Amino acid sequence: MPPDKAGIIPRLDPSTGSPVNPTPAVNTLRPSACPGLLRIVQALDGGICRVKLAGGSITAAQASAVADAAQAYAGGVIEATNRANLQIRGIGADQEALIATLLAAGLGPRNAGGDDVRNLMLSPSAGIDPQMLFDTRPLADQILATLQSHPRFHELSAKFAVQLDGGEALAMLEHHHDLWLSAFVRDGQTLLAFGLAGCPGLNAPLGAVPLEQGHALVVAVLEAFLDLASPAQTRMRHLPVESVLGRLNLPLLPTDGFKRPPSGALLHLGTYPQEQKNQFYVAAIAPLGRLDSTMLKGAAQLANEYGDGTLRFTPWQGVLLPYVEKPHAVSQRLAQLGFLCSIEQPLARMIACTGSSGCGKALADTKADAVQLAALHPGHDVHLSGCPRSCAAAHTAPVTLLAVSPGHYDLYFRDPAQPGFGRLHAHNLSIEATGALLRARPRSNTDD
Ligand code: SF4
């Protein structure tokens, strides 16, 4: 059920279907081209509904509800996004029933105006990672509650994003965020370094605060941004850093001692021990970010059977099951469901945007081409993009194929000295030619 005229989202009791605990909304929905849970956006293959997950986490029951909704009201295609959310594609005419099903499962925002701003990325191993410096989840809950309940923050763009990094070994450190916070320890004290319009893996921090002031820092930065930004300036990168820093009304500490260790290269794929004794997490990738209702329901069932009844989606467009004692069985069953569990599977190294089967801007069928390229065993991490918007990758991949016509791409190699996709290496390559070129190229040449 969508918000009523007062912007109130009725929450439905799953057993009776009656509204319960309606939450007053403090803002009405803003016009935006981005899908949300309450705003289904049309694409070539039907409507898209984006379900934003707090820290990528979802209960098994909620995951089953998403799977049921995708089956009943859409074409059954579910996407794991690179911001650790889920989206349902191919939604037909009964959009209200789909939204009602998701709200009844408790997947909606606290109020209508708060849906778009739930963009806070955590490590998928928050609270369970042996290398973490602190459990980010309580602070994340506090920040998310403020983002949703503070009416002024609903003015932020639906793309405005914040990252909270607790120093976990498993962390996406290359996705640009409007504001990032990253933990480090100095003289025995845990501090949060922060930066604007960048990421902890690539950019130097601008200052630091004690952990206890993390929430106050986020509020101060967002208020400074909104004070300074014109309506056309929707992202932090549109403002001079100094102007935002100059407006912060809290003391900043120096950042000496901050150096974010790199994330473990393959920790988003496979089985790894948790901080908690005798507990493991099992992580897998949804092929090209897509899963169907059977896969999602199957993963939810595994979380109930072998884990703690929760799943976490990852920025690698995959899923992680925490608190597993028998990881081998879980890994086998995930593979049987169609998830990719090993880097030896070439498709685990491909990402591709929606492509021409679902997006009017695409110049090629990127997903089908990625499958064809994977079969050629190119031996590199490759991103196929149907146009320069790069929806599938929030970072620069070692190899990018940018579509120029059906089945043909310009090929770029990542180069820190070059903006965008990197250095243009070849024009208008077929998939066969791309496969041959990449196979002949040593991996170290593209994994800078
Ligand atoms: S990158 Fe371009 S072609 Fe691909 S989904 Fe985004 S807008 Fe469409």
Side-chain angles (χ1 to χ4, degrees), residues 353-355 359 361-362 385-387 389-391:
C353 73
T354 300
C359 175
K361 294 190 173 65
S385 195
C387 84
R389 289 176 62 145
S390 187
C391 294

Side-chain angles (χ1 to χ4, degrees), residues 2-24:
D4 65 15
K5 284 181 187 152
I8 294 173
I9 302 166
R11 288 191 177 271
L12 303 182
D13 182 325
S15 52
T16 63
S18 307
V20 290
N21 298 329
T23 309

Side-chain angles (χ1 to χ4, degrees), residues 10-354:
R11 288 191 177 271
L12 303 182
D13 182 325
S15 52
T16 63
S18 307
V20 290
N21 298 329
T23 309
V26 287
N27 200 5
T28 51
L29 291 174
R30 292 174 295 107
S32 169
C34 281
L37 190 145
L38 307 167
R39 183 180 50 246
I40 291 176
V41 169
Q42 284 302 310
L44 287 182
D45 55 346
I48 304 174
C49 174
R50 184 169 298 157
V51 186
K52 293 189 175 177
L53 307 176
S57 187
I58 187 171
T59 67
Q62 288 173 328
S64 288
V66 172
D68 286 341
Q71 191 67 46
Y73 307 112
V77 173
I78 300 157
E79 291 182 325
T81 77
N82 59 26
R83 294 209 178 271
N85 293 314
L86 284 175
Q87 62 189 27
I88 300 173
R89 295 193 73 91
I91 298 166
D94 206 352
Q95 301 184 354
E96 292 205 357
L98 177 127
I99 293 171
T101 303
L102 299 175
L103 290 177
L107 288 162
R110 289 191 176 187
N111 55 56
D115 190 30
D116 279 345
V117 294
R118 297 188 295 162
N119 302 322
L120 175 61
M121 184 183 279
L122 306 182
S123 162
S125 58
I128 62 172
D129 194 300
Q131 191 179 292
M132 66 183 174
L133 299 175
F134 79 108
D135 182 348
T136 52
R137 293 172 299 174
L139 175 55
D141 286 347
Q142 205 187 351
I143 294 170
L144 268 178
T146 300
L147 282 168
Q148 291 187 77
S149 61
H150 191 327
R152 195 170 180 217
F153 293 156
H154 302 170
E155 296 168 26
L156 293 167
S157 153
K159 292 183 184 301
F160 197 98
V162 180
Q163 179 174 21
L164 176 58
D165 163 36
E168 300 86 354
L170 170 61
M172 173 52 83
L173 300 173
E174 297 180 347
H175 279 190
H176 279 228
H177 283 77
D178 295 275
L179 165 63
W180 58 265
L181 299 89
S182 182
F184 71 111
V185 176
R186 186 169 62 213
D187 300 332
Q189 185 187 14
T190 303
L191 304 172
L192 283 170
F194 76 97
L196 306 176
C199 47
L202 300 175
N203 302 108
L206 300 168
V209 295
L211 189 52
E212 312 74 63
Q213 285 187 23
H215 178 262
L217 174 70
V218 172
V219 170
V221 170
L222 299 188
E223 286 185 338
F225 173 81
L226 289 168
D227 285 347
L228 294 164
S230 69
Q233 293 169 318
T234 56
R235 306 296 299 275
M236 195 62 86
R237 65 175 180 269
H238 299 149
L239 292 184
V241 167
E242 303 71 31
S243 63
V244 178
L245 288 180
R247 217 174 171 95
L248 298 184
N249 56 357
L250 79 175
L252 298 181
L253 303 171
T255 58
D256 343 341
F258 175 82
K259 181 156 180 30
R260 182 51 168 101
S263 173
L266 292 176
L267 296 176
H268 60 285
L269 198 55
T271 296
Y272 298 93
Q274 293 185 189
E275 165 76 3
Q276 295 79 11
K277 201 170 168 214
N278 297 329
Q279 303 289 319
F280 299 85
Y281 76 75
V282 182
I285 286 178
L288 300 176
R290 285 203 168 166
L291 49 167
D292 59 23
S293 294
T294 306
M295 289 170 76
L296 185 54
K297 274 207 146 167
Q301 195 181 335
L302 289 174
N304 274 335
E305 251 179 74
Y306 292 95
D308 69 345
T310 68
L311 307 91
R312 301 176 183 198
F313 282 86
T314 78
W316 292 269
Q317 298 184 286
V319 68
L320 178 155
L321 270 60
Y323 290 98
V324 171
E325 285 180 9
K326 296 179 179 162
H328 184 63
V330 171
S331 187
Q332 269 190 332
R333 294 263 300 271
L334 284 172
Q336 286 163 3
L337 285 166
F339 288 93
L340 304 170
C341 299
S342 163
I343 198 64
E344 302 306 321
Q345 295 167 280
L347 207 49
R349 303 179 61 177
M350 304 274 151
I351 51 176
C353 73
T354 300

